[in-house]
Amino acid sequence: MGTREHEIYDIVGIGFGPSNLSLAIALEEHEANTSERPVRAAFFERQPRFGWHRNMLLPQATMQISFLKDLATFRNPLSRFSFVSYLHESNRLAQFVNNQDFFPTRQEFHQYLEWAEAGVRDRVTYNSEVTEVRLVEAADGVEQHLVIVVKDTVSGAAREVKARNITVSTGLVPRMPDGMERDERVWHSSEFLAKYGQMNPEDLKNVAVVGAGQSAAEITKYLHDMLPQAQVSAILPSYGYSVADDTPFANQVFDADAVDHYYFGTEKTRDAFWRYHKNTNYSVVDDDVIRELFRRSYEEEVAGEQRLHFLNLTRVKEVKRSGSDTRVVLHSLLDGESEQEMDVDALVFATGYSTLDATSLLGDLDKFCQRDEEGRHRVERDYRVVTSGELSCGIYLQGGTEHTHGLTSSLLSNIAVRSGEIVDSIVERRGAGEKV
Ligand SMILES: Cc1cc2nc3c(=O)[nH]c(=O)nc-3n(C[C@H](O)[C@H](O)[C@H](O)COP(=O)(O)OP(=O)(O)OC[C@H]3O[C@@H](n4cnc5c(N)ncnc54)[C@H](O)[C@@H]3O)c2cc1C
């Protein structure tokens, strides 16, 4: 995409995962339905091409939301960017329906995302990492605006783009336990397929996966499938995997209405959401994956050939590396004392992600951003960071708003509706001279 250096964009999107892809679609559909001046937008993504958690696109791993919670349908059921429209264009609609499954594989959903991305590709520049955002104060003949510094990840060259608003949609950040370092034998789940692909499977005779969430369970299952001669150990901090609550009443926490209930609720309301419904998404595993792992383990026990091991109430205390040798020191929480050592050829930490924190990207701009008593950004209902009066430019967050907008903040469930709300906000503020 050829961005124009002198133009002041209405919005610049940082990151081009599903959130900003959905926003680009909402902008496209806004444009198609209005005679107003189009919202001028540009998006920057550091990856060389579109990709959604590519290193976790394990065969048979399924989506954890209905296919109807796609990039557009909940905002605009007539959208040409819907999952149904994609199926129709791929000549697979009838077969998809015959398959009678609400939850497509992540590989199929990825194909859908790529198909949708192709429809808005003219708005995005890849190999482009945003490294800094600065404020330019209003001066004679120049309105207040933001300067976004974009580094070309191939050439290293930096350039600047101007905007009235930004949307920070940079996603989750992989989290390793304190003191654990990644290397060619010690991986985080976010790099799993790339790292696994660099190994000779015959060299992987002992592998271990740390964690008790969905990614941990999926990787354990995958390694057990792919390495039929290997010992596969799952190191669980819990007594066993806990099931993800996907039942209808609980699932309502992901509805668009729930954002209002959460946002306008009291502290007690918000606390209730987390206390009662955290198990819809966090550190939990789909029922079928849990049952499949248990079934395999039981069959091996019956056959007297156990190679799938579950080390429950166990934590990794230390990882000792020497050449290609990796020794893991395990600490049992059963008695709080005993330790054992295990040699592994690969160790995968499926230990989750930290939520998006825009602070470092915002740099000096952060001083205009208001924070709550716990130091978190205060955020308007339209996902705009609450800023002090001197700043009329908008900083929108897609992600990192769990404390204000609830459980869907870093998920796909509500992105279609959220992106529509952000477009409405930008258009409305532009009409009001950006002073809202
Ligand atoms: C394995 C896995 C499976 C998941 N499955 C589901 C699911 O089934 N349902 C669900 O609701 N949620 C799921 N999630 C949650 C996940 O957060 C969302 O699916 C989704 O990725 C959120 O989209 P996003 O665009 O906000 O963030 P991301 O998809 O993380 O995209 C952010 C993008 O920003 C780019 N970026 C970061 N920093 C910069 C920068 N400085 N400059 C330029 N680009 C930058 C990144 O390269 C990335 O492409 C899953 C998460 C994982 C890890």
Side-chain angles (χ1 to χ4, degrees):
M1 176 207 173
T3 41
R4 290 170 291 275
E5 309 275 317
H6 301 294
E7 180 164 11
I8 300 185
Y9 286 93
D10 293 306
I11 182 131
V12 159
I14 306 174
F16 205 66
S19 295
N20 269 345
L21 171 55
S22 177
L23 181 64
I25 291 170
L27 287 167
E28 175 106 351
E29 296 186 345
H30 171 79
E31 245 171 77
N33 291 322
T34 180
S35 54
E36 292 166 18
R37 164 169 82 76
V39 176
R40 285 168 306 198
F43 295 88
F44 296 95
E45 166 59 51
R46 66 182 174 193
Q47 297 189 83
R49 64 196 160 119
F50 181 84
W52 175 65
H53 303 301
R54 276 184 189 273
N55 286 317
M56 279 300 293
L57 292 180
L58 305 176
Q60 287 146 34
T62 56
M63 295 300 294
Q64 294 183 285
I65 50 164
S66 155
F67 67 95
L68 290 170
K69 290 189 172 178
D70 58 27
L71 296 164
T73 298
F74 270 48
R75 176 181 46 77
N76 173 18
L78 301 178
S79 172
R80 74 175 176 90
F81 289 94
S82 69
F83 190 79
V84 170
S85 177
Y86 154 74
L87 288 173
H88 183 257
E89 217 172 285
S90 311
N91 211 13
R92 235 177 24 242
L93 183 54
Q95 289 300 69
F96 182 85
V97 173
N98 290 335
N99 196 40
Q100 299 186 10
D101 197 340
F102 248 48
F103 305 98
T105 62
R106 275 213 295 276
Q107 289 183 342
E108 185 176 22
F109 202 76
H110 197 276
Q111 287 176 19
Y112 156 66
L113 294 174
E114 288 179 306
W115 167 87
E117 182 268 353
V120 290
R121 195 170 296 157
D122 57 332
R123 294 174 184 264
V124 53
T125 314
Y126 289 98
N127 285 320
S128 297
E129 179 170 11
V130 172
T131 55
E132 193 187 340
V133 183
R134 287 196 311 267
L135 176 66
V136 175
E137 297 286 4
D140 279 351
V142 183
E143 60 180 308
Q144 186 190 75
H145 62 272
L146 302 172
V147 166
I148 297 98
V149 182
V150 185
K151 187 180 88 180
D152 184 315
T153 56
V154 179
S155 69
R159 66 189 174 113
E160 297 186 346
V161 180
K162 298 172 191 158
R164 285 185 193 85
N165 302 285
I166 53 170
T167 164
V168 183
S169 313
T170 48
L172 301 165
V173 183
R175 188 173 57 219
M176 292 286 281
D178 284 348
M180 305 295 156
E181 297 292 333
R182 304 192 218 173
D183 61 27
E184 69 280 6
R185 299 274 177 165
V186 180
W187 315 330
H188 185 268
S189 55
S190 59
E191 54 188 356
F192 176 69
L193 282 177
K195 292 283 189 180
Y196 179 80
Q198 287 164 11
M199 304 295 296
N200 178 354
E202 286 177 10
D203 294 340
L204 296 174
K205 298 197 174 61
N206 277 295
V207 291
V209 183
V210 185
Q214 181 73 18
S215 293
E218 283 176 1
I219 292 172
T220 303
K221 183 164 158 260
Y222 178 82
L223 291 172
H224 190 254
D225 281 335
M226 301 301 285
L227 304 171
Q229 310 305 329
Q231 300 294 313
V232 179
S233 301
I235 301 168
L236 310 175
S238 54
Y239 203 72
Y241 298 107
S242 296
V243 71
D245 186 350
D246 188 31
T247 50
F249 287 104
N251 229 16
Q252 293 179 121
V253 295
F254 300 120
D255 291 354
D257 288 349
V259 176
D260 277 337
H261 296 146
Y262 191 95
Y263 188 88
F264 296 110
T266 61
E267 269 312 312
K268 279 192 173 157
T269 320
R270 286 190 273 275
D271 181 54
F273 268 89
W274 288 104
R275 199 148 34 90
Y276 293 113
H277 302 294
K278 204 167 181 260
N279 66 343
T280 49
N281 184 56
Y282 294 85
S283 306
V284 286
V285 181
D286 287 347
D287 182 273
D288 57 335
V289 180
I290 294 179
R291 288 181 192 283
E292 174 62 19
L293 284 173
F294 198 89
R295 188 189 60 73
R296 290 181 188 197
S297 171
Y298 184 69
E299 278 178 4
E300 288 182 358
E301 203 177 322
V302 172
E305 291 170 8
Q306 196 84 41
R307 66 180 194 89
L308 180 57
H309 311 275
F310 295 97
L311 310 176
N312 63 359
L313 290 180
T314 302
R315 285 187 185 275
V316 175
K317 189 176 170 200
E318 195 185 346
V319 179
K320 297 176 183 169
R321 294 281 282 113
S322 168
S324 62
D325 296 337
T326 308
R327 177 163 291 184
V328 192
V329 183
L330 299 171
H331 175 80
S332 170
L333 303 178
L334 261 178
D335 57 10
E337 281 177 15
S338 52
E339 284 186 4
Q340 72 177 95
E341 299 200 349
M342 181 167 75
D343 290 325
V344 291
D345 302 307
L347 177 66
V348 190
F349 280 96
T351 42
Y353 295 79
S354 303
T355 184
L356 180 156
D357 181 4
T359 311
S360 59
L361 197 59
L362 294 177
D364 274 356
L365 206 58
D366 200 55
K367 68 173 183 265
F368 297 103
C369 301
Q370 295 188 16
R371 294 187 179 255
D372 66 15
E373 311 76 54
E374 293 184 40
R376 303 167 301 191
H377 283 126
R378 291 182 56 214
V379 189
E380 305 278 6
R381 175 61 184 83
D382 62 3
Y383 300 94
R384 199 161 35 105
V385 176
V386 180
T387 50
S388 56
E390 308 113 84
L391 187 73
S392 62
C393 298
I395 302 164
Y396 292 86
L397 297 181
Q398 300 209 74
T401 57
E402 284 83 356
H403 58 297
T404 48
H405 292 68
L407 279 76
T408 51
S409 293
S410 65
L411 300 177
L412 300 174
S413 326
N414 196 42
I415 56 174
V417 173
R418 180 176 68 197
S419 53
E421 290 170 343
I422 293 175
V423 172
D424 289 348
S425 166
I426 292 166
V427 170
E428 196 179 306
R429 289 176 54 244
R430 186 175 67 175
E434 311 270 341
K435 292 219 173 52
V436 184

